[in-house]
Amino acid sequence: MKLIRNFCVIAHIDHGKSTLSDRLLEFTKTISEREMKDQALDSMDLEREKGITIKSHAIQLYYDHPDGNKYTYNLIDTPGHVDFSYEVSRSIAACEGALLLVDASQGIQAQTISNLYLAIEHDLEIIPILNKVDMESAMIDEVSDQIIDMIGCKKEDIILASGKTGQGVEDILNAIKDRVPEPKGSVDEPLQMLIFDSVFNSFRGVIAYFRVLNGTLKKGERVRFVNTGKEYSADEIGILQINQIPKKEIKAGNVGYIITGIKASKEIKVGDTITHVDRPCDEAIHGFEDVKPMVFAGIFPIDNDDFEDLRDSLEKLQLNDASLVFEPESSAALGFGFRCGFLGMLHLEIIQERLSREFDQDVITTIPNVGYFAYTKKGEKIKVNTPNDLPDPTVLDRVEEPYIKAQIITKPEYFGTIMSLCMDKRGMMTNQHYLTPERVEMTFELPLAEIVFDFYDKLKSISRGYASFDYAPVDYRASDLVKMDILLNSEPVDAMSALVHRTKAATFGKKICKKLKELLPRQQFVIAIQASIGAKIIARETISAMRKDVTAKCYGGDITRKRKLLEKQKKGKKKMRQIGNVEVPQKAFLQVLKLDE
């Protein structure tokens, strides 16, 4: 165990984690030159296309240190985007040290600070690294001062590196050996292993990734999953490199994978403890938090016959992404589907994309909303995940919505525009703090519902990309919220109803009606698109009917002949309107989501 080091890489999005990880793999010859490609640890096409890490990835490196020893390094590369912070928390739970990466040209960003606090909470040894020092715009002295202010280290503790040129890679490997503590735990204690990730393989079943805290696991032994109480035999165990390498045994302090032939995804839970059947450990491993979804949306199959396939796909995705939460629901407009909880809008977009690519599932997603609590006049507390869960206004006392604490780091010249954006979103400023004369940190309290749609995009555009954003939930507060329905010819479309603040209902309703007018195909009869709160109509658009010129065959002659034909047409239109249904095309559901873009 003296020769093992477990560490993760934490940073803000786009600060060069994946590129630096590539250099570490190259230097330690974990990957041959032939197999080497950019973002070697990012296994998904989506990650390469978007240039972001979505999943954390574990890999084992071997480093021949100048002192003559060969060290085993378990590296976990983590995502940087705020929507994938759950992946970061799981990676941190399996490590003793963290490489804190800061871009020398951008300085400290909001997500850097929040990931750093996560690492400090778990008592991880922090190694500060200044990345991209080879760039012309690198502000080495300024950013070094920011790091010293933030974590209180000495200037000589900061390693200067470049993921592009490979500068500083050897210094990083030596610092890991010297500064990251060796794993605690004993080989002789009863087996205690923490599952920090899992994937589904259609040939092998569920593969769980674990970190051994105590004891030794040998191939073929009987193991028990503490939380589910299920027992299995360890058919194959091994370590994680670019491919999985089977081993006969794995000892305390190490990271590896286990295949037990489990086919049902419900039987493995990330954060569970694995122990021996004949010599179990006294207690499960603590310190693993449950995920709290922030944004809810309904996901429905386009064809109702695909409902069970969609359930299987979501269960397999949940193995790979433990922050996805879902339960069945039904809708009058869309049939049977699932109510899913996500950590943010990017998370929702990625899940939708992965369902389509990895499982060939075409789905409709309803308007995303957040979870509320409604209180009735009798004092009952009801959880409201969809607008249809809201109790009748006659029995409703109040509705509480979730608030978040948002941390924005930007340049002073964008202070005013960001301030007005947050005020427009019903925000309240609680603090401002100048990190340096050129960087100001602003703290706001905002309703979560206001930031899930387009807040991040607007923030980026008004600050020309110079603002970084991070948030954490605070509490629930009473708000004046109303349920807004969308009616087509007086028939409500339940998949489009939304809970909105009373002051914003009219503008939101107007936007949706306008959008639907563009998207819905014209019919033989007039279609009225209305937004309503209860019985009160707050916005309306009308799609005029397609007209057939019934008088075209009348040339000259008596006017009563034309009038008779027009009256007959009018009666037909009226009858058609009574029995005609307005079909909402799938495209319209998807486009309404992009309302504010």
Side-chain angles (χ1 to χ4, degrees), residues 351-372:
I351 293 289
Q352 225 175 321
E353 191 72 33
R354 286 184 70 183
L355 278 172
S356 150
R357 289 188 188 200
E358 295 173 29
F359 301 99
D360 213 11
Q361 291 284 338
D362 288 328
V363 293
I364 303 168
T365 312
T366 61
I367 293 181
N369 61 357
V370 301
Y372 302 90

Side-chain angles (χ1 to χ4, degrees), residues 220-235 258-263 267-268 272-280:
E221 289 183 326
R222 295 286 293 168
V223 292
R224 178 184 294 136
F225 289 71
V226 176
N227 281 349
T228 56
K230 298 276 173 77
E231 295 179 6
Y232 304 96
S233 84
D235 297 343
I258 179 170
I259 299 175
T260 53
I262 296 176
K263 289 285 188 283
E267 294 179 24
I268 277 197
D272 200 350
T273 306
I274 305 179
T275 187
H276 278 137
V277 171
D278 49 6
R279 192 181 165 216

